[in-house]
Amino acid sequence: MARRERPLEGEDGPLLEFAAALRRLRHEAGSPPYRDLAERAHYSVATLSGAAAGRRLPSLDVTLAYVRACGGDAAAWERHWHATAVELAADGAGPGPAGAATPEAPAAQGLPYVGLAPFRAEDAALFFGRERLVEDLFDALTRHRVVALVGASGAGKSSLLHAGLLPRLHADVPAREVTVLTPGPHPLDRARRALAARAEPGTDPGTDPGTGPAADSGTAERVLVVDQFEEVFTVCADPDERSRFVAELVGAARRPGSGCRVVLGVRADFYAHCTRHPELVGVLREAQVVVGPMSAAELRRAVVEPARRAGLTVEGGLQATLVAHAHGQVGVLPLLSHSLLETWRRRRGAALTLDGFHAAGGFEGALAQSAEALYDSLSASQQRLARQVFVHLIALGEGTEDTKRPVDRTELGQDADTRAVLARAAALRLLTLGDGAVELTHEALIRAWPRLRGWLTYDRERLRRHRQLADAARAWEAVGRDPGALLRGAPLALAGELTAGEGPVLTAAEAEFLAAGAAAEAAAGDRARRRTRRLRLLVGALACLLVVAAVATGSAVRAEDEVTRQRNDAVARNLAETSAGVAAAEPGLAVQLGLTAYRLSPTDRTRDGLLSALMTSLPAHGKEVVAVAYRPDGRQLATASGDRTARLWRTRGSGRPDPVATLGGEGAPLRALAYRPDGHTLATAASDGTVRLWDVTDPAHPGAGAVLPARETDVRALAFSPDGRTLATAGAGGGVRLWDVTDPAGPGELTTVPGHRDTVRAVAFSPDGHTLATGGEDTTVRLTDVGDRTRPEPLAVVGGHDTAVFSVAFSPDGRTLATASGGRTPVRLWDLAEPRRPAPLATLTGHTDVVGAVAFGPDGRTLASASDDRTVRLWSVARGARPTPLAILSGHVTAVGSVAFSPDGTVLASGGYDSTLRLAATDLDHALAGACAHTGPRITRAQWASYMPYLDYSPPCSGLERP
């Protein structure tokens, strides 16, 4: 008999509730002794009993092992654990996924790492690895009156200024007056107050300069540090004030006898904006310090030294993993610091371990995991409020990346839910609550949290709809409010959605226009409703009678079979979810669990779970995989990544490919790649507009070929014509360029295909090479006749999408075009029998987020779509107007951004933002039939009892040897 546990002691709270729930789970499992649980869970008796003692929150790994040993739902308990951890963090009870919200610096709280927030002056004791760069900046400031510190978002500029330069300045001259400011919406006022103020003795140099006392200008040396200088372009809306602010700063520093020096912290993607001001051109030419990636030795100091100061050790494997992920990367320091803080919260004793790092979500997943934990802990109304808050704190980029923007606290509301959302987000260090202002702690959150990127995509479209509504309202007023100019049907419904939630604020004229349209449509529908009301009532009554009769007749016969089927379905669903949970650690076991679920209940859901478990998965790059492409002979696969590299792989069907070579590694993150039809040339495109042609005739020794002259700041898509003579490139600006690559060593520009009003995200040639299809952020698809490469002729403009078009693909016969987007029409098929008049064929629904890529199989009967909802879907499109779903493949832990069929159609490759490459066999029946070849050792009785205690032991692959 199991020994009775001690009663839980202490005050009621989330920790005791969690421990009580664990005890209830063990009781429902029959109260097995902890010795038996230890054998199933592979943790000690003391560890498992301590998990339910209520003294501290157990680690996620221990919790899930306890739950599985008791036969509980691991996925549900993982959500429960994250919710409890967030509550503990918000209450300051720790340890949790993030510390409690506090105005104190991390060093003052005893934290060894600052997380997502930049280092402050108070954190100088934790700031390591940038000592040489601090000296370079200090030396530049001693030689020049104005210095620009330039670096990418996430390179650590703010930390370098606050925790590096400020202490160095005070160490050099303790009495030196140093003032820090950020431009904000009215930078000129802030600059004048800062230049007129003198800090009182002992004043924190990082405080708002507007609070300091005024004093007469003197010749004593002072330093003015302008952090986040890019706010001049993103937050300040007045170009005149912007110019005067720049002139005021530079003039104050260069005025004879002023004794003032100025340091500007500038984000690299706003470098071109700075060159528009003559005063800054000389500064950038003569006195700029560039913040580049940290060396391996610097990274190791940044990781190890703060832990050593806190009496902790960093496991060697963790050091190597972190340095490998961050080495050579300029925008990853916030992710590095956040993953270190999350790993510290999951430390084992005094050691930071690799297991704790993986439990926190890994290098890029830790931040997304923290944000998702916050979102999951909120109520439904608070989740809607969180969406409005986070989107409101972001300035949408126009030709640049989106940036954070500080917002006055009063703009977000004062209700209890708003205060709760802000407090929890601040506790997780996702938001920073300053003096009456709220802002994102770091812009890395925009890149790392897929849900936030989805929100931004949606809100961009709402702004576009608002502009369309304003134009329609003005036209209505211009024709004397003629009822014929009112919106009707779908356009009216889409415009009406702007009034929901925290959408744009409508003017009185726009609101009247919407109300008039709704009233007119309601009046037109009333007559039809009156005519059909009686008929509907009669038909409804007859239908109800038929349903009741059918149910009564069949229920007595099928009752027992239905109960059995429902039980099997429920067991199979749980087993399929469990299979997905263990796939990463034990793929062979996952296949056997999935196969058992499918044989128990052969539904689409269990089949898809088994097919997903059978996919080959491997880490392909250090960052997101943005493009995949097969060489035309199918023996080689290329992948491109945001880590600036492309890689070549030798393929083995759907088996694990072998790495052959790595291309690039310098320059900007890659956006796209494509093989020339002869397979000897590979083209890659980067975010800085660079398009490079590589000679891959010998894959093991690829050669760097020609570089096309940069015409755009960001090339998003490229494609070769079927004859290999033409290359199309597209990106920012809306233009598509055609290049003559008959001789890849000497390419030449042919012409530009105009038309799009915004960035072009997709480009494809028809199989005969005469038609070019392009899709862009202006929501349109354009078809162009490129039979004459020097004189392209527009054919048609295709609408139908309500958000940006991210991918286009021709069927092998050229008669069908597939387009991918978001919103209500994620995937659409078009009939191109008459290219000048494309006709809609079908809309494919099912994805729950933006679809970023589509691809036809070589036979033209199958279509694959990849989405931000982390799935790849296969569709049968043999009957173009009636497509049917074939399978849903899961496994990627973040958005899936690229997909490609092998030339023989037997393998589907997908690349995800989780940095992995996945390969799936497309012959579904053959894959299911051969599942047992991928399982490894047969499932043991102990494993069976752990995962399926309610079923008799019956391994699905009995021919395997026992382990």
Side-chain angles (χ1 to χ4, degrees):
M1 178 179 296
R3 185 181 64 185
R4 296 190 61 180
E5 295 179 290
R6 295 180 180 178
L8 293 172
E9 299 177 353
E11 299 181 358
D12 291 339
L15 188 58
L16 290 188
E17 291 176 4
F18 189 83
L22 283 176
R23 293 188 176 192
R24 284 196 301 272
L25 177 66
R26 177 172 173 248
H27 177 72
E28 291 167 0
S31 298
Y34 273 111
R35 187 174 301 280
D36 292 347
L37 291 183
E39 293 179 358
R40 302 176 194 171
H42 306 295
Y43 278 95
S44 69
V45 171
T47 299
L48 294 177
S49 62
R55 291 187 292 272
R56 63 190 300 268
L57 183 66
S59 70
L60 179 59
D61 288 342
V62 171
T63 300
L64 295 182
Y66 189 109
V67 169
R68 293 190 182 105
C70 294
D73 185 339
W77 273 91
E78 183 171 359
R79 292 191 294 271
H80 189 182
W81 186 92
H82 283 297
T84 303
V86 169
E87 289 188 65
L88 293 174
D91 294 340
T102 173
E104 291 185 310
Q109 302 176 59
L111 303 178
Y113 304 102
V114 301
L116 198 60
F119 286 83
R120 294 188 289 179
E122 298 88 339
D123 303 318
L126 304 177
F127 188 65
F128 293 94
R130 287 297 198 187
E131 292 83 358
R132 179 174 179 179
L133 193 57
V134 169
E135 290 302 319
D136 291 344
L137 180 58
F138 178 78
D139 181 62
L141 191 59
T142 60
R143 292 183 288 106
H144 301 281
R145 308 299 302 180
V146 186
V147 176
L149 180 68
V150 182
S153 174
K157 301 182 298 300
S158 294
S159 299
L160 184 69
L161 292 173
H162 287 266
L165 179 63
L166 297 190
R168 181 66 179 86
L169 290 172
H170 287 298
D172 180 57
V173 179
R176 175 183 278 130
E177 187 176 325
V178 181
T179 305
V180 180
L181 66 87
T182 55
H186 301 292
L188 187 59
D189 291 342
R190 293 193 177 186
R192 287 174 175 172
R193 289 199 305 269
L195 292 171
R198 286 186 179 276
E200 294 179 296
T203 299
D204 179 0
T207 57
D208 188 341
T211 61
D216 295 334
S217 298
T219 58
E221 180 163 309
R222 58 191 305 187
V223 178
L224 179 62
V225 178
V226 184
D227 192 13
Q228 300 176 38
F229 184 76
E230 61 273 6
E231 285 188 5
V232 174
F233 308 105
T234 62
V235 180
C236 176
D238 186 353
D240 182 59
E241 181 175 4
R242 185 182 305 142
S243 298
R244 287 188 290 155
F245 169 70
V246 172
E248 187 92 13
L249 283 182
V250 178
R254 292 181 172 173
R255 188 178 302 117
S258 70
C260 178
R261 298 178 185 270
V262 176
V263 182
L264 307 177
V266 186
R267 232 176 67 174
D269 51 334
F270 287 88
Y271 194 92
H273 292 65
C274 295
T275 60
R276 298 169 188 168
H277 297 271
E279 298 90 346
L280 294 178
V281 172
V283 175
L284 296 175
R285 182 188 302 118
E286 301 171 1
Q288 66 170 304
V289 177
V290 178
V291 182
M294 297 177 75
S295 68
E298 290 172 333
L299 286 168
R300 191 166 284 106
R301 280 182 56 78
V303 170
V304 174
E305 285 301 319
R308 187 181 65 80
R309 293 289 182 94
L312 304 170
T313 61
V314 182
E315 193 176 73
L318 176 58
Q319 291 184 41
T321 298
L322 292 171
V323 171
H325 275 83
H327 186 236
Q329 308 297 318
V330 295
V332 300
L333 296 184
L335 297 178
L336 173 66
S337 185
H338 184 79
S339 62
L340 278 167
L341 181 59
E342 293 301 304
T343 304
W344 174 78
R345 300 200 180 279
R346 294 161 176 82
R347 63 192 180 277
R348 185 167 59 228
L352 277 65
T353 66
L354 188 59
D355 288 342
F357 170 75
H358 290 309
F363 189 69
E364 294 189 347
L367 181 53
Q369 182 171 297
S370 295
E372 281 299 309
L374 166 69
Y375 187 79
D376 291 340
S377 71
L378 302 175
S379 66
S381 61
Q382 290 173 335
Q383 288 178 343
R384 291 191 294 272
L385 185 61
R387 172 177 181 163
Q388 297 164 7
V389 167
F390 277 95
V391 171
H392 199 62
L393 296 175
I394 295 172
L396 300 179
E398 296 294 338
T400 61
E401 292 185 1
D402 297 339
T403 59
K404 66 176 183 176
R405 70 182 187 108
V407 169
D408 190 271
R409 176 67 179 81
T410 58
E411 293 185 29
L412 302 178
Q414 302 291 336
D415 58 282
D417 276 349
T418 301
R419 292 196 300 270
V421 170
L422 294 178
R424 292 191 183 187
L428 291 170
R429 298 185 183 274
L430 302 178
L431 298 183
T432 299
L433 309 181
D435 295 332
V438 183
E439 64 178 329
L440 295 183
T441 302
H442 201 280
E443 287 151 355
L445 184 64
I446 305 174
R447 301 187 297 270
W449 190 11
R451 187 185 299 276
L452 180 56
R453 293 201 307 273
W455 290 342
L456 292 175
T457 299
Y458 175 79
D459 284 345
R460 277 189 175 90
E461 181 55 27
R462 296 188 73 175
L463 294 175
R464 186 176 290 111
R465 290 183 193 170
H466 186 209
R467 289 195 293 270
Q468 293 170 350
L469 172 63
D471 292 341
R474 283 193 295 270
W476 179 59
E477 294 283 357
V479 296
R481 297 196 170 191
D482 186 341
L486 293 171
L487 296 178
R488 303 291 177 88
L492 177 62
L494 290 175
E497 291 179 359
L498 294 173
T499 61
E502 293 293 328
V505 177
L506 304 185
T507 65
E510 293 165 356
E512 290 179 14
F513 177 66
L514 274 183
E521 184 158 341
D526 282 343
R527 294 187 293 273
R529 284 191 291 272
R530 285 193 296 269
R531 286 194 302 267
T532 58
R533 185 173 295 130
R534 290 182 181 179
L535 181 59
R536 288 180 176 176
L537 290 174
L538 178 60
V539 172
L542 291 175
C544 289
L545 290 174
L546 288 174
V547 170
V548 170
V551 172
T553 302
S555 60
V557 178
R558 297 191 300 268
E560 184 175 354
D561 291 340
E562 181 64 14
V563 170
T564 302
R565 186 191 63 79
Q566 290 181 0
R567 183 206 66 184
N568 288 346
D569 287 348
V571 171
R573 282 197 302 271
N574 290 336
L575 200 55
E577 293 177 359
T578 302
S579 170
V582 303
E586 298 179 274
L589 177 60
V591 172
Q592 293 181 74
L593 296 178
L595 191 56
T596 301
Y598 181 69
R599 291 180 177 176
L600 187 63
S601 178
T603 63
D604 290 347
R605 184 170 182 176
T606 56
R607 180 207 59 191
D608 292 345
L610 177 55
L611 291 172
S612 300
L614 289 170
M615 294 175 69
T616 298
S617 175
L618 71 156
H621 287 272
K623 296 186 70 174
E624 67 271 18
V625 179
V626 298
V628 296
Y630 275 94
R631 195 170 67 181
D633 63 6
R635 291 183 294 178
Q636 184 175 305
L637 177 70
T639 58
S641 171
D643 66 3
R644 299 178 172 79
T645 67
R647 289 188 174 177
L648 305 181
W649 308 82
R650 183 180 297 108
T651 58
R652 303 173 181 272
S654 60
R656 189 178 184 88
D658 296 325
V660 177
T662 300
L663 312 179
E666 300 177 352
L670 298 188
R671 297 293 197 193
L673 55 71
Y675 275 103
R676 196 165 182 256
D678 63 4
H680 297 314
T681 302
L682 179 72
T684 59
S687 62
D688 62 358
T690 301
V691 176
R692 185 182 295 274
L693 303 179
W694 302 84
D695 183 356
V696 292
T697 304
D698 181 0
H701 302 89
V707 177
L708 304 186
R711 295 289 188 267
E712 288 83 18
T713 57
D714 188 1
V715 177
R716 289 281 184 168
L718 45 77
F720 283 97
S721 62
D723 61 7
R725 298 172 57 231
T726 308
L727 175 66
T729 63
V736 179
R737 301 187 184 278
L738 300 182
W739 306 80
D740 185 348
V741 290
T742 305
D743 178 9
E749 185 172 357
L750 292 169
T751 187
T752 299
V753 181
H756 287 283
R757 301 187 305 275
D758 207 335
T759 299
V760 180
R761 301 295 297 267
V763 61
F765 283 93
S766 62
D768 62 7
H770 292 164
T771 304
L772 183 72
T774 57
E777 292 188 358
D778 59 3
T779 75
T780 67
V781 175
R782 292 180 175 267
L783 300 178
T784 306
D785 185 346
V786 291
D788 183 346
R789 299 189 300 167
T790 60
R791 295 182 179 179
E793 178 185 357
L795 292 175
V797 178
V798 181
H801 288 292
D802 51 9
T803 64
V805 178
F806 297 100
S807 180
V808 295
F810 284 93
S811 62
D813 62 5
R815 296 179 62 86
T816 304
L817 179 71
T819 58
S821 180
R824 293 179 176 79
T825 56
V827 181
R828 299 199 69 172
L829 300 180
W830 307 87
D831 185 353
L832 299 185
E834 297 184 50
R836 292 187 181 274
R837 287 184 293 277
L841 273 178
T843 299
L844 282 60
T845 59
H847 284 293
T848 59
D849 208 334
V850 170
V851 176
V854 288
F856 277 98
D859 62 359
R861 302 169 63 86
T862 306
L863 181 75
S865 57
S867 170
D868 283 7
D869 66 7
R870 301 180 291 181
T871 67
V872 176
R873 289 178 179 252
L874 291 175
W875 312 82
S876 172
V877 292
R879 302 170 64 185
R882 296 181 180 178
T884 57
L886 292 176
I888 304 174
L889 303 177
S890 58
H892 286 284
V893 299
T894 56
V896 189
S898 53
V899 66
F901 283 94
S902 62
D904 62 3
T906 60
V907 181
L908 179 68
S910 60
Y913 281 75
D914 56 2
S915 76
T916 65
L917 170 68
R918 289 179 174 267
L919 303 177
T922 58
D923 186 340
L924 305 183
D925 293 336
H926 185 267
L928 294 174
C932 285
H934 302 274
T935 59
R938 176 170 40 168
I939 185 171
T940 65
R941 289 184 178 274
Q943 290 173 321
W944 185 280
S946 175
Y947 293 104
M948 295 166 283
Y950 30 71
L951 297 177
D952 293 334
Y953 180 62
S954 179
C957 300
S958 58
L960 300 174
E961 295 182 0
R962 293 180 180 273

